């Protein structure tokens, strides 16, 4: 379908603001610019408590923000990893989405402020996300959570990290995960897909910006078949937790997200895959501007509840 009118209005507004493409900005300027997405997320949802704390990581403490909804515990727990190409984004830019998810799912959401590139290249972000997940699994009761109902979730680069943590949890025999929610995830280092050719520019996320993100994340490293950087390159995807995979029609990452969903299904994993027609990459951060895509929250909650009921 054509670009959704809400998405087109957003593109027009961003163009009128004159924000330069990500790849033309310095890293500090790009990090400052991403804060503008908060205004596109609506008013913050009230939850019972929001706590900033830190958990131990491989290179020091990892800041996290814990959202606890109203309700008697122990509650399910979702680890959330923000997007931003492993270079930009922070706890604040996903504060409102995490509040929404905690309230709608009736789950504790732990948002992870992992180390960013280029100061900390791969595998720093992955190592932090896995360490935070392992810590939360071990200390869930301390947070009022149920370690038997643990899930990982993330958008874009955060979806990449959630998929990688799910793979590592399988490979390292823990922690046990009930579900993975992958929102327009990065799953491969491949710029020659149909969706890259169709959407290389003009739809918020561009091919040039993805090259910029990857260059900062990897430096001179050769990925080869590293599944924790590119989950689609994993030798097999068996024995992974049920997955919800959302993609956007006008997104360079569309095809690799959908390819990952297909491979999960072929491996016997329970998968719910949904393409949001007419939408752009990043819409989970813009639901006040693109309310037609707000059903993603219902989808995520349904996927979580189904997984937790098993």
């Amino acid at each position: 379908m054509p670009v959704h009118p809400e998405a087109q209005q957003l593109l027009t507004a961003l163009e009128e603001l004159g924000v330069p493409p990500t790849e033309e900005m310095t890293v500090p300027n790009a990090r400052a610019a991403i804060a503008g997405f908060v205004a596109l997320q609506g008013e913050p949802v009230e939850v019972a408590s929001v706590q900033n704390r830190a958990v131990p990581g491989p290179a020091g403490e990892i800041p996290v923000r814990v959202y606890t909804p109203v309700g008697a515990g122990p509650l399910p727990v979702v680890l959330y990893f923000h997007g931003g190409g492993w270079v930009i984004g922070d706890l604040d830019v996903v504060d409102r989405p995490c509040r929404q998810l905690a309230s709608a799912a009736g789950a504790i959401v732990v948002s992870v402020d992992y180390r960013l590139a280029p100061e900390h290249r791969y595998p720093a972000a992955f190592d932090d996300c896995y360490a935070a997940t392992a810590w939360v699994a071990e200390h869930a009761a301390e947070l009022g959570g149920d370690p038997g109902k643990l899930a990982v979730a993330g958008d874009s680069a955060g979806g990449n990290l959630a998929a990688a943590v799910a793979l590592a949890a399988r490979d390292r025999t823990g922690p046990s995960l009930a579900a993975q929610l992958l929102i327009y995830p990065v799953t491969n280092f491949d710029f020659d897909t149909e969706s890259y050719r169709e959407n290389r520019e003009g739809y918020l996320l561009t091919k040039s910006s993805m090259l910029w993100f990857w260059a900062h994340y990897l430096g001179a490293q050769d990925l080869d078949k590293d599944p924790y950087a590119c989950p689609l390159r994993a030798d097999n995807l068996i024995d992974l937790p049920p997955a919800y995979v959302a993609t956007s029609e006008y997104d360079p990452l569309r095809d690799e997200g959908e390819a990952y969903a297909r491979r999960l299904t072929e491996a016997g994993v329970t998968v719910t895959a949904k393409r949001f027609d007419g939408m752009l990459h990043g819409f989970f951060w813009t639901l006040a501007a693109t309310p037609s895509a707000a059903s993603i929250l219902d989808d995520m909650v349904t996927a979580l509840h189904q997984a937790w009921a098993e």
Side-chain angles (χ1 to χ4, degrees):
M1 64 175 286
V3 175
H4 194 284
E6 295 167 357
Q8 185 58 61
Q9 187 173 8
L10 176 59
L11 286 172
T12 301
L14 291 173
E15 183 178 356
E16 290 173 352
L17 286 174
V19 179
T22 301
E23 66 273 13
E24 295 180 9
M25 288 191 268
T26 65
V27 169
N29 286 346
R31 289 175 179 166
I34 203 71
F37 279 91
V38 174
L40 304 173
Q41 297 172 359
E43 293 301 312
V45 173
E46 290 294 326
V47 292
S49 71
V50 179
Q51 181 184 17
N52 290 320
R53 58 182 300 168
V55 302
E61 292 192 328
I62 305 166
V64 299
R65 186 170 294 171
V66 182
Y67 301 84
T68 304
V70 174
L75 298 171
V77 185
V78 180
L79 274 291
Y80 195 87
F81 312 128
H82 68 78
W86 312 281
V87 177
I88 59 181
D90 55 25
L91 298 179
D92 291 336
V93 80
V94 291
D95 179 78
R96 297 182 188 189
C98 285
R99 287 171 176 269
Q100 290 176 301
L101 182 58
S103 178
I108 297 166
V109 173
V110 181
S111 184
V112 180
D113 198 15
Y114 55 85
R115 287 172 290 165
L116 297 177
E119 298 90 339
H120 306 282
R121 300 193 191 276
Y122 176 80
F126 161 72
D127 287 344
D128 283 358
C129 291
Y130 179 79
T133 303
W135 186 92
V136 168
E138 185 175 349
H139 296 268
E142 178 182 328
L143 302 176
D146 180 351
K149 294 182 177 180
L150 184 66
V152 291
D155 61 279
S156 192
N160 166 278
L161 294 167
V165 168
L167 282 164
R170 178 201 65 182
D171 298 342
R172 302 173 185 179
T173 64
S176 178
L177 299 176
Q180 53 181 323
L181 307 182
L182 314 179
I183 311 305
Y184 35 80
V186 185
T187 67
N188 202 9
F189 186 81
D190 179 6
F191 309 100
D192 194 35
T193 63
E194 183 178 350
S195 60
Y196 259 105
R197 292 190 293 271
E198 291 176 350
N199 306 307
R200 60 178 295 146
E201 59 185 20
Y203 300 111
L204 195 60
L205 181 68
T206 67
K207 177 180 178 179
S208 295
S209 59
M210 280 305 302
L211 288 167
W212 186 87
F213 286 130
W214 272 114
H216 283 305
Y217 189 44
L218 296 179
Q221 297 178 82
D222 183 4
L223 284 176
D224 192 26
K225 293 184 67 176
D226 188 336
Y228 304 147
C230 297
L232 193 59
R233 299 187 181 191
D235 288 335
N236 73 77
L237 301 179
I238 62 172
D239 298 328
L240 289 171
Y244 171 72
V245 183
T247 57
S248 308
E249 182 177 8
Y250 290 92
D251 182 357
L253 305 182
R254 182 194 69 211
D255 289 356
E256 63 194 75
E258 293 176 357
Y260 195 64
R262 287 194 298 272
R263 278 204 59 202
L264 286 168
T265 300
E266 291 164 1
V269 177
T270 300
V271 178
T272 300
K274 181 175 179 179
R275 179 189 292 188
F276 283 78
D277 291 330
M279 285 295 157
L280 314 171
H281 184 87
F283 70 82
F284 189 53
W285 288 9
T286 68
L287 293 182
T290 53
S292 294
S295 61
I296 190 171
L297 273 168
D298 296 330
D299 294 345
M300 294 167 72
V301 170
T302 297
L304 288 170
H305 287 179
Q306 288 176 342
W308 290 329
E310 292 181 358

